[in-house]
Amino acid sequence: MATIADGRTIPFDWYSDPAVLRLERERIFRRTWQYAGRTDQVAEPGAFFTCDLGGVPIVVVRDDDSGLRAFLNVCRHRGSLVCEGEGKRASLQCPYHAWTYGLDGSLRAAPRSERVPGFEKESLGLVPVQVDSWGPFVFVNPDAEAEPLAETLGELPALVDASGVDLGSLRFLKRASGDEYAANWKVCCENFLECYHCQVAHPDFSKVVDVSVDAYVLEESRTFSTQYGPVREAWKGDFDPRGPIERGQFHFLWPNLTLNMMPGQPNLSIGPIVPTGPETTTRFLDYFVGPDVEQEWVEEMLEFDNQVGAEDRVLVERVQKGLRSGGIEHGRLMGDSERLIAHFQGLLLDALA
C-alpha cells in the first residue's frame, strides 16, 4: 500500500481541488462496492429505490422473477434520470420523453422509434451494474470487473456476528438524513477514523466509552478498519451502555461506509459518506435495533448518537476552512492514534495512482 513519507498527510489542496474530485469519482466511486440501501426497500417484484454513489446515479429494482438488479439511473436517450426516490412500478419510464424500460433493464418502448431507420432497441437498455446483499444491506458497484462483494467485505461479517448483533433479527428503525456538510468527503471519513479528538470534542461520549490510548483499540484489514471502544467501569451520563453489546464497534469499509454498534442493547447504524462537490458532502444513516429493545433505550441511544454527530459537524467544517486556506501543504499524522487515517490515505493513493 502506498504511503507518504515521514507521517505526512495527503496534500491539503486535495480536499478542495475539483480536479481531484473528478479523478476520485472516476477511479474510486465508479469502481468500488458501496452501500445503496436495504433489502426491505425492494422486497417485492416492481419495488425500486434510487441512490447516488458520489455522482453516479443508480436505481435498484426487484424484477418480475424476484431477482435483485441495479442499473445506471440514466436514460439511454438523452441522459435524464429515469427514476427518483423509491416506490413500486411495473416498468421504469423516463419522465422526459417516456422511454420505457422493463424491470430487467431492457428498452420496451421509445415513442416514434418506428420512424427512425435502423433504430436498435435491443442495444439501448439501461446499463447494468453489479448488485449484491449482505444480510439486510444492499451494495452496488458500477465496475463490471470488480471483485465480488464477499471479497471486499472480508472478515467484517464475522466481526459483526461476534459482536452479539444478529443481523437477521434486527428491525429497521429509521433513516436519518442530514443536511450537506461544508467539508470534503475525505475530511468526514478521516474524522470518523480516529478517536484522538474524542476526549476534547465528545465529552459525553467519553464519559461512557473509554477513549484512552491504551483502552481504545484500532485495527485495519485490507478493505476495512475497526475501532473498539470499551465501556468505562464508572461510566456516567444519560445513556445506559449495559447490555449484550459489551463494547462499541465502529467499522469503516473502503471507500466511504460507516457501520456502528453502540454498547448496550442490540443496535446498528450504517450509511455512506457521499461527495456532492469538492467541499460539500452528504450523509445518511439507516438505524436498526433488536426486536425486543425498549423504546426508552432507543430514544436515549439516538439522542446520544445525534449529539456526537452534531459535534462532528462542527469539527469537519472547521477543518475544511483551514485546509482551503492554502498556507500549509501537508499535515502530520499522530502514529498509532491516527493509523486508520494512514490506512485510508494509502488506499486512496493506490486508487488514484
Side-chain angles (χ1 to χ4, degrees), residues 251-278:
H251 303 284
F252 181 89
L253 181 68
W254 167 261
N256 66 334
L257 180 66
T258 67
L259 189 153
N260 315 282
M261 289 165 284
M262 290 293 188
Q265 300 305 311
N267 73 96
L268 183 148
S269 65
I270 182 171
I273 296 171
V274 181
T276 55

Side-chain angles (χ1 to χ4, degrees), residues 6 11 24 38 46 52 64 72 80 86 102 116 139 162 172 175 213 227 254 291 295 299 309 312 325-326 333:
D6 303 324
E24 290 168 344
R38 309 181 310 277
D52 183 276
D64 291 324
L72 290 181
S80 171
E86 60 183 290
V116 179
F139 289 79
F172 174 64
R175 172 169 292 186
V213 65
Q227 302 170 67
W254 167 261
Q295 186 62 28
E299 292 174 359
D312 278 333
S325 66
L333 295 178

Side-chain angles (χ1 to χ4, degrees), residues 16 57 83 105 128 135 139 155 159 168 178 221 241 245 287-288 291 294 305 311 326 339:
S16 57
C83 304
F139 289 79
E155 296 301 313
L159 294 181
S221 183
I245 311 304
Y287 284 89
F288 300 79
E294 295 182 357
D305 198 43
E311 292 163 349
R339 59 189 281 196

Side-chain angles (χ1 to χ4, degrees), residues 173-176 181 192 202 204-205 208-209 238-240 248-250 258-263 267-271 283-288 297-313:
L173 186 63
K174 70 169 190 173
R175 172 169 292 186
Y181 291 69
F192 178 86
H202 301 311
D204 289 340
F205 178 85
V208 175
V209 175
D238 297 328
F239 172 64
D240 186 350
Q249 283 193 33
F250 311 102
T258 67
L259 189 153
N260 315 282
M261 289 165 284
M262 290 293 188
N267 73 96
L268 183 148
S269 65
I270 182 171
R283 297 190 64 181
F284 72 80
L285 282 172
D286 283 342
Y287 284 89
F288 300 79
W297 188 90
V298 170
E299 292 174 359
E300 288 179 2
M301 182 270 292
L302 291 174
E303 184 176 354
F304 185 69
D305 198 43
N306 288 340
Q307 180 175 343
V308 174
E311 292 163 349
D312 278 333
R313 172 186 288 274

